[in-house]
Amino acid sequence: MDQKFIPRFFLINMIYITFCDDGLHSFLRPYLLLLESYNFTLGMRVIAYNILGPEKEHLAKANGKVHDLTLISNELNFSTMHYAMGKEAIIISDRDLLDRVMLYELYKIGIRNIITRSRSTEHIDLDYAGELKMHVANVPYENTLEGIARETISNLTQWMVGGCTGDACQCRIDCKNKVNLRKYGNGDSKQTDQQI
């Protein structure tokens, strides 16, 4: 069997399962381990800035090796921006200021997705991010470290499969992926049938 066929086969199934199954990380762990053995990265390449000690464990656990996640304690500034080179997304805190200059520099090195681990987006120039066609999401529902980590990784996973982050979406662009999410009894959100 051709080695290139196996990762593609599982990737197709994982994207389907992503839309249909809430237990993505636990259900797919055996498949992800198989993909790792073929040096195939499924998730997004991401760096998280300004990580405090307790946050590290929660983000790593929520990620479950789906995304190529780098965690650093440094704040995002011009001297630490180079860590984001080669990444698709950054995760920041409300202590990281993303003004026009910083957004443009991030755009130049290839960053197109930004998640803030806060409800507030006051520290991000959302209008300019929209001009640059950058996707921005926050964590509107959670306030525990575990919940914030889960919601952050969920946002990354939605972007990975081409979906929208729903109520967490703070984009100022007209995106073809914007959808309304419907709420289910246990508080989980799922994409509408139109997006599937």
Side-chain angles (χ1 to χ4, degrees), residues 47-136:
I47 184 162
Y49 286 93
N50 236 328
I51 298 295
L52 302 175
E55 291 177 301
K56 184 183 245 181
E57 179 184 336
H58 292 294
L59 274 169
K61 185 177 178 182
N63 185 36
K65 295 187 179 182
V66 172
H67 302 284
D68 179 6
L69 185 60
T70 304
L71 306 172
I72 63 172
S73 60
N74 305 67
E75 67 182 41
L76 175 59
N77 57 40
F78 292 106
S79 62
T80 60
M81 184 186 310
H82 68 278
Y83 295 124
M85 291 179 116
K87 306 293 185 185
E88 300 169 82
I90 61 170
I91 300 171
I92 62 170
S93 76
D94 58 356
R95 299 177 302 277
D96 296 308
L97 179 65
L98 295 185
D99 59 6
R100 293 176 71 87
V101 176
M102 181 62 78
L103 285 169
Y104 183 69
E105 293 299 321
L106 288 168
Y107 179 81
K108 284 189 342 189
I109 63 172
I111 299 298
R112 300 296 184 266
N113 302 291
I114 300 167
I115 296 177
T116 179
R117 300 183 317 274
S118 64
R119 288 183 181 167
S120 171
T121 56
E122 297 286 321
H123 55 291
I124 304 170
D125 186 340
L126 294 174
D127 293 328
Y128 190 65
E131 288 178 34
L132 295 173
K133 298 196 182 327
M134 297 174 99
H135 295 275
V136 180

Side-chain angles (χ1 to χ4, degrees), residues 8 15 27-28 31 49 64-65 75 83 90 95-96 101 106 112 114 130 154 160 165 182 186 194 196:
R8 289 183 186 146
I15 289 173
F27 180 76
L28 295 178
Y31 300 109
Y49 286 93
K65 295 187 179 182
E75 67 182 41
Y83 295 124
I90 61 170
R95 299 177 302 277
D96 296 308
V101 176
L106 288 168
R112 300 296 184 266
I114 300 167
S154 174
M160 175 185 76
T165 59
R182 59 180 178 226
N186 62 1
Q194 300 93 335
I196 299 170

